[in-house]
C-alpha cells in the first residue's frame, strides 16, 4: 500500500513540477511547511508537548513566509516593468496608440 501511495505522490509532484516549475514548487513546499507547523501546534499541542509552537518554530515559519512575500513582491514589480517595456515597444512601432494591447499598467505600478 505504501509503495502505491508513494508512487502516486511522486507522479503528482513531478506533474506539478512540469506545470509550474521549480520555483513555484519550492514556494508551495514553503506553504506546506508553514501549514504543517501551524496545524500541528493547533491539533496536537494539547496531546503532545513536542508539537507545541516554540519560538524557534515560529521564527522559522515567519522566515519562510517573509521569503515568499519578498519573492512575490519582486516578481510583481518585475512583471509590471516588463509590461511597461512591452507597451513602449508598441508605442515605438507606431505613433498611433489605438493598436496597443489593452494593458492596465498604470494601475499595476500604483499598487
Amino acid at each position: 500500500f505504501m509503495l502505491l501511495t508513494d508512487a502516486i505522490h511522486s507522479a503528482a509532484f513531478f506533474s506539478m513540477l512540469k506545470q509550474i516549475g521549480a520555483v513555484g514548487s519550492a514556494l508551495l513546499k514553503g506553504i506546506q511547511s508553514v501549514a504543517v507547523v501551524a496545524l500541528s501546534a493547533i491539533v496536537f499541542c494539547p496531546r503532545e508537548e513536542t508539537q507545541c509552537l516554540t519560538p524557534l518554530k515560529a521564527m522559522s515559519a515567519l522566515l519562510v513566509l517573509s521569503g515568499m512575500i519578498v519573492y512575490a513582491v519582486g516578481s510583481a514589480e518585475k512583471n509590471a516593468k516588463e509590461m511597461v517595456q512591452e507597451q513602449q515597444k508598441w508605442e515605438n512601432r507606431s505613433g498611433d496608440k489605438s493598436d496597443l494591447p489593452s494593458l492596465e499598467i498604470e494601475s499595476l505600478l500604483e499598487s
Side-chain angles (χ1 to χ4, degrees):
F1 177 73
M2 290 300 292
L3 181 64
L4 178 62
T5 303
D6 286 341
I8 292 170
H9 180 265
S10 294
F13 177 76
F14 284 109
S15 174
M16 178 188 67
L17 183 64
K18 182 179 177 183
Q19 291 178 2
I20 65 172
V23 175
S25 297
L27 290 172
L28 287 176
K29 280 292 187 184
I31 293 170
Q32 180 183 16
S33 298
V34 171
V36 166
V37 168
L39 290 174
S40 293
I42 293 168
V43 175
F44 297 116
C45 183
R47 296 183 188 131
E48 173 114 18
E49 188 176 328
T50 59
Q51 298 300 316
C52 294
L53 189 63
T54 63
L56 184 60
K57 289 179 184 179
M59 285 176 31
S60 298
L62 286 174
L63 182 65
V64 170
L65 285 174
S66 62
M68 292 171 25
I69 290 169
V70 167
Y71 177 80
V73 168
S75 293
E77 288 176 2
K78 180 183 176 223
N79 290 340
K81 287 178 183 177
E82 288 175 355
M83 290 174 70
V84 167
Q85 290 173 351
E86 186 67 27
Q87 185 177 23
Q88 288 171 347
K89 286 180 190 176
W90 278 92
E91 287 174 354
N92 291 337
R93 289 183 185 161
S94 69
D96 182 21
K97 293 185 179 184
S98 63
D99 64 340
L100 289 176
S102 59
L103 302 173
E104 297 183 15
I105 295 171
E106 290 80 17
S107 65
L108 288 173
L109 292 175
E110 291 173 0
S111 60

mmCIF file of all heavy atoms in Angstrom, residues 83 101-109:
data_model
loop_
_atom_site.group_PDB
_atom_site.id
_atom_site.type_symbol
_atom_site.label_atom_id
_atom_site.label_comp_id
_atom_site.label_asym_id
_atom_site.label_seq_id
_atom_site.Cartn_x
_atom_site.Cartn_y
_atom_site.Cartn_z
ATOM 1 N N MET A 83 5.823 44.687 -18.537
ATOM 2 C CA MET A 83 4.626 45.150 -19.245
ATOM 3 C C MET A 83 4.831 46.566 -19.757
ATOM 4 O O MET A 83 4.399 46.899 -20.859
ATOM 5 C CB MET A 83 3.402 45.056 -18.336
ATOM 6 C CG MET A 83 2.978 43.627 -18.043
ATOM 7 S SD MET A 83 1.648 43.516 -16.841
ATOM 8 C CE MET A 83 0.295 44.176 -17.773
ATOM 9 N N PRO A 101 -1.904 46.907 -27.194
ATOM 10 C CA PRO A 101 -2.629 45.899 -26.415
ATOM 11 C C PRO A 101 -3.225 46.564 -25.174
ATOM 12 O O PRO A 101 -2.657 47.498 -24.632
ATOM 13 C CB PRO A 101 -1.552 44.898 -26.016
ATOM 14 C CG PRO A 101 -0.327 45.258 -26.732
ATOM 15 C CD PRO A 101 -0.497 46.625 -27.291
ATOM 16 N N SER A 102 -4.357 46.094 -24.754
ATOM 17 C CA SER A 102 -5.015 46.724 -23.608
ATOM 18 C C SER A 102 -4.352 46.231 -22.321
ATOM 19 O O SER A 102 -4.646 45.167 -21.814
ATOM 20 C CB SER A 102 -6.506 46.402 -23.600
ATOM 21 O OG SER A 102 -6.687 45.011 -23.553
ATOM 22 N N LEU A 103 -3.420 47.016 -21.816
ATOM 23 C CA LEU A 103 -2.714 46.698 -20.580
ATOM 24 C C LEU A 103 -3.007 47.785 -19.561
ATOM 25 O O LEU A 103 -2.901 48.965 -19.863
ATOM 26 C CB LEU A 103 -1.204 46.634 -20.822
ATOM 27 C CG LEU A 103 -0.718 45.635 -21.855
ATOM 28 C CD1 LEU A 103 0.770 45.817 -22.106
ATOM 29 C CD2 LEU A 103 -0.990 44.229 -21.388
ATOM 30 N N GLU A 104 -3.356 47.392 -18.372
ATOM 31 C CA GLU A 104 -3.616 48.363 -17.320
ATOM 32 C C GLU A 104 -2.371 48.508 -16.471
ATOM 33 O O GLU A 104 -2.333 48.194 -15.292
ATOM 34 C CB GLU A 104 -4.815 47.924 -16.501
ATOM 35 C CG GLU A 104 -6.090 47.873 -17.302
ATOM 36 C CD GLU A 104 -7.291 47.508 -16.451
ATOM 37 O OE1 GLU A 104 -7.174 47.581 -15.214
ATOM 38 O OE2 GLU A 104 -8.308 47.165 -17.020
ATOM 39 N N ILE A 105 -1.326 49.022 -17.085
ATOM 40 C CA ILE A 105 -0.028 49.113 -16.437
ATOM 41 C C ILE A 105 -0.035 50.124 -15.319
ATOM 42 O O ILE A 105 0.536 49.907 -14.249
ATOM 43 C CB ILE A 105 1.055 49.430 -17.492
ATOM 44 C CG1 ILE A 105 1.144 48.255 -18.450
ATOM 45 C CG2 ILE A 105 2.385 49.696 -16.833
ATOM 46 C CD1 ILE A 105 1.996 48.525 -19.637
ATOM 47 N N GLU A 106 -0.674 51.249 -15.534
ATOM 48 C CA GLU A 106 -0.659 52.295 -14.525
ATOM 49 C C GLU A 106 -1.210 51.787 -13.213
ATOM 50 O O GLU A 106 -0.682 52.063 -12.137
ATOM 51 C CB GLU A 106 -1.442 53.526 -14.984
ATOM 52 C CG GLU A 106 -0.771 54.303 -16.120
ATOM 53 C CD GLU A 106 -0.988 53.671 -17.501
ATOM 54 O OE1 GLU A 106 -1.907 52.826 -17.621
ATOM 55 O OE2 GLU A 106 -0.255 54.003 -18.409
ATOM 56 N N SER A 107 -2.288 51.016 -13.258
ATOM 57 C CA SER A 107 -2.867 50.523 -12.015
ATOM 58 C C SER A 107 -1.947 49.518 -11.339
ATOM 59 O O SER A 107 -1.919 49.439 -10.115
ATOM 60 C CB SER A 107 -4.236 49.883 -12.302
ATOM 61 O OG SER A 107 -4.083 48.730 -13.100
ATOM 62 N N LEU A 108 -1.185 48.759 -12.102
ATOM 63 C CA LEU A 108 -0.232 47.818 -11.512
ATOM 64 C C LEU A 108 0.903 48.546 -10.822
ATOM 65 O O LEU A 108 1.359 48.147 -9.753
ATOM 66 C CB LEU A 108 0.326 46.878 -12.570
ATOM 67 C CG LEU A 108 -0.592 45.819 -13.112
ATOM 68 C CD1 LEU A 108 0.063 45.085 -14.268
ATOM 69 C CD2 LEU A 108 -0.983 44.855 -12.037
ATOM 70 N N LEU A 109 1.379 49.623 -11.442
ATOM 71 C CA LEU A 109 2.507 50.353 -10.877
ATOM 72 C C LEU A 109 2.103 51.161 -9.653
ATOM 73 O O LEU A 109 2.920 51.388 -8.765
ATOM 74 C CB LEU A 109 3.122 51.265 -11.931
ATOM 75 C CG LEU A 109 3.821 50.529 -13.093
ATOM 76 C CD1 LEU A 109 4.281 51.532 -14.124
ATOM 77 C CD2 LEU A 109 4.968 49.694 -12.590
#
